Amino acid sequence: MRAEVDGVSAVRAVPGPVIDVRPEGDRAVVTVRGDLDLDATRPLERGLRTALVSSVHGVDLDLSEVGFCDCAALNILLAARQRALMEGKTLDLTATAPTVDRVLDLTGTRSLFADPDGTAEQGADEEDLRELRVEVVQLRRAMQTRPVIDLARGILMASFGLGAEEAWRVLVTASQHANTKLHHLAQDIVSTAEGGEPREQIREELAAAVARVRAESP
């Protein structure tokens, strides 16, 4: 559903996030409110595409009111960033919620969404091409690991009676304490569900993470 209020275009999925797109000088400002999960990828992609098309130099993205963010949403952000660069524009994150920060920090992609000079990149010189190659690698890696991470989250939800956000926090917490990359931990969880023998450290870290998350939940 699309609505126009005081010059602001809103792309709304029902149910789903609210994505507001408004012009600001030679850039477009996109504000997202709600959860960014697999079901939100289409409205998020449409909103970012609309903003890029309508802007001269790119998009400033405000994710400070996002309640949940997973790898599916990150894939859309990476793809939009790559599209912006190819058009000589930028996609900059101006504000992020803690849920978004966790995804960016775990995947090491935060630096891809910052334009320190505040100006759009021009031309396709060697630095542009190098950055594009890095982004392609990041995008491919996220696309490869997203299915197993989402599957592991579903297994945790079914096994421990957790919500989507709680399951994500268990994955993040266990990954950090076990000093294991998130997608490696997810693969261990999926392998165990398929009949494999879980590693003792992983089993202990998951149990501790579940207890920790439940204790922190209101």
Side-chain angles (χ1 to χ4, degrees):
M1 180 184 303
R2 184 181 298 275
E4 186 88 14
V5 181
D6 295 333
V8 175
S9 173
V11 180
R12 180 189 296 269
V14 183
V18 173
I19 303 173
D20 294 330
V21 181
R22 71 177 189 275
E24 190 168 292
D26 56 8
R27 299 180 67 79
V29 176
V30 177
T31 303
V32 181
R33 303 179 184 88
D35 293 343
L36 290 180
D37 52 17
L38 187 61
D39 294 332
T41 53
R42 288 187 178 179
L44 177 61
E45 182 178 22
R46 287 196 301 267
L48 292 175
R49 188 181 296 273
T50 297
L52 278 173
V53 170
S54 63
S55 69
V56 176
H57 286 159
V59 175
D60 293 326
L61 184 57
D62 183 350
L63 300 181
S64 60
E65 297 184 59
V66 170
F68 175 80
C69 181
D70 64 10
C71 292
L74 175 61
N75 286 342
I76 299 301
L77 297 180
L78 287 169
R81 173 64 171 159
Q82 183 181 2
R83 188 182 307 116
L85 284 175
M86 295 179 69
E87 296 176 3
K89 303 176 182 180
T90 60
L91 177 64
D92 301 335
L93 289 179
T94 58
T96 53
T99 52
V100 180
D101 290 334
R102 285 199 293 268
V103 175
L104 295 174
D105 292 340
L106 284 169
T107 57
T109 53
R110 180 183 296 277
S111 61
L112 297 178
F113 299 99
D115 181 19
D117 296 327
T119 58
E121 300 169 36
Q122 301 295 328
D125 58 18
E126 292 183 1
E127 183 63 23
D128 291 329
L129 293 176
R130 185 196 66 79
E131 187 172 353
L132 278 173
R133 284 195 291 268
V134 170
E135 292 195 28
V136 168
V137 170
Q138 294 283 2
L139 177 58
R140 287 176 177 170
R141 184 178 301 161
M143 292 179 68
Q144 290 169 353
T145 59
R146 188 198 79 191
V148 71
I149 291 174
D150 287 344
L151 183 55
R153 191 180 68 180
I155 292 171
L156 291 177
M157 292 170 64
S159 299
F160 297 99
L162 303 172
E165 170 65 13
E166 291 176 323
W168 174 254
R169 287 164 54 198
V170 166
L171 280 173
V172 172
T173 301
S175 171
Q176 292 172 340
H177 283 267
N179 196 25
T180 301
K181 289 186 176 181
L182 190 64
H183 67 275
H184 288 165
L185 173 63
Q187 185 60 64
D188 283 342
I189 294 172
V190 172
S191 297
T192 299
E194 293 175 346
E197 184 65 26
R199 290 188 286 136
E200 185 65 25
Q201 181 189 12
I202 296 301
R203 184 166 49 196
E204 292 176 356
E205 290 296 348
L206 280 176
V210 169
R212 203 173 290 119
V213 167
R214 283 176 170 167
E216 294 172 354
S217 297

